[in-house]
Amino acid sequence: MKSPEPATTPSPAPTSGATIGGATARGAAATLTTTGSDATSGSLASTDDVTSRDATGADATSGSASSGVEAPGVGASSGSATGSAERAVAERNLCGLVGALAKQIEGHIRERAGALNLTAAQAVALRELTGPMTMRDLADRMSCEPSNATFVVDRLEEQGIVERRPHPGDRRAKQLVLTSEGVALRERLIDSLTEDSPLARLTSEEQAALNDLLTRAVR
């Protein structure tokens, strides 16, 4: 009688490809999500590129700009800014020229006044006394406060150059009037100021044109 053959344990059935694939896929997905492997980083890089372009105006925007396409109003704004900048430079240069001319005139007045034993302020007051006027009128012509004009007139009055007389139309006011000595001194001063004046470099027509332009500017 033949001995019974030992029972054989059946080999485990091979795991299906789907199962292996699913496990691999899930593991791979977990790995990618956790570690940010190549596929994930590649995907993020693509997203970042798009976001970066949208946020910074990269490739598409620069391409649009290089092709001559401008956003509405950009050209007008640029032109306006350029015009404002040019005007600011022109005004700065003009202010510098006006200031330099005023400085030259002040130096000229000071020099000629000293030759006549006058201060520059006294020479300006004497120049502006073209006829009887109030202290306020003289201060306006001298572009100073009435108190400053009063101080200057007091010195001229002490020298016998100016007199204070009653105002014919206002009993509360006084008029400033040149004495005969004042009239003679003023004539000498005007002749001296006219000679070699910084404005003498201009013709009569140019002086008239400059006078009109400055009159428009100060009004």
Side-chain angles (χ1 to χ4, degrees):
M1 183 173 177
K2 193 182 285 187
S3 300
E5 293 182 2
T8 57
T9 304
S11 301
T15 308
S16 67
T19 303
I20 294 176
T24 304
R26 285 194 298 271
T31 303
L32 294 176
T33 304
T34 304
T35 63
S37 66
D38 294 344
T40 304
S41 61
S43 174
L44 291 176
S46 300
T47 305
D48 288 345
D49 287 346
V50 174
T51 305
S52 175
R53 290 192 191 96
D54 292 342
T56 62
D59 299 340
T61 305
S62 64
S64 175
S66 63
S67 63
V69 179
E70 296 182 354
V74 171
S77 300
S78 176
S80 176
T82 301
S84 298
E86 292 176 351
R87 183 176 180 85
V89 171
E91 290 189 1
R92 183 191 66 193
N93 292 339
L94 183 57
C95 288
L97 290 173
V98 171
L101 178 59
K103 187 175 182 179
Q104 290 184 14
I105 292 175
E106 290 174 1
H108 179 69
I109 292 175
R110 187 177 298 107
E111 177 188 350
R112 299 309 169 98
L116 297 173
N117 296 320
L118 296 169
T119 67
Q122 289 172 347
V124 171
L126 197 56
R127 181 192 65 187
E128 297 302 327
L129 278 169
T130 56
M133 66 184 65
T134 66
M135 189 71 70
R136 183 171 294 278
D137 290 338
L138 178 61
D140 288 342
R141 290 193 173 198
M142 294 177 65
S143 300
C144 68
E145 296 294 327
S147 59
N148 294 338
T150 299
F151 178 83
V152 174
V153 170
D154 287 345
R155 306 289 83 77
L156 292 176
E157 191 173 24
E158 291 172 0
Q159 299 176 45
I161 297 173
V162 176
E163 290 181 348
R164 286 180 170 91
R165 297 179 183 176
H167 194 288
D170 188 352
R171 292 181 297 176
R172 299 170 299 177
K174 295 288 185 178
Q175 274 191 331
L176 305 175
V177 181
L178 291 174
T179 63
S180 57
E181 292 82 357
V183 171
L185 180 59
R186 184 178 185 277
E187 290 177 356
R188 292 172 57 195
L189 174 66
I190 296 301
D191 290 341
S192 180
L193 291 177
T194 304
E195 183 181 0
D196 295 330
S197 166
L199 292 174
R201 305 162 190 160
L202 304 178
T203 65
S204 298
E205 292 77 11
E206 290 171 337
Q207 289 188 18
L210 179 60
N211 180 79
D212 292 341
L213 292 173
L214 292 176
T215 298
R216 288 171 55 191
V218 300
R219 284 181 179 174

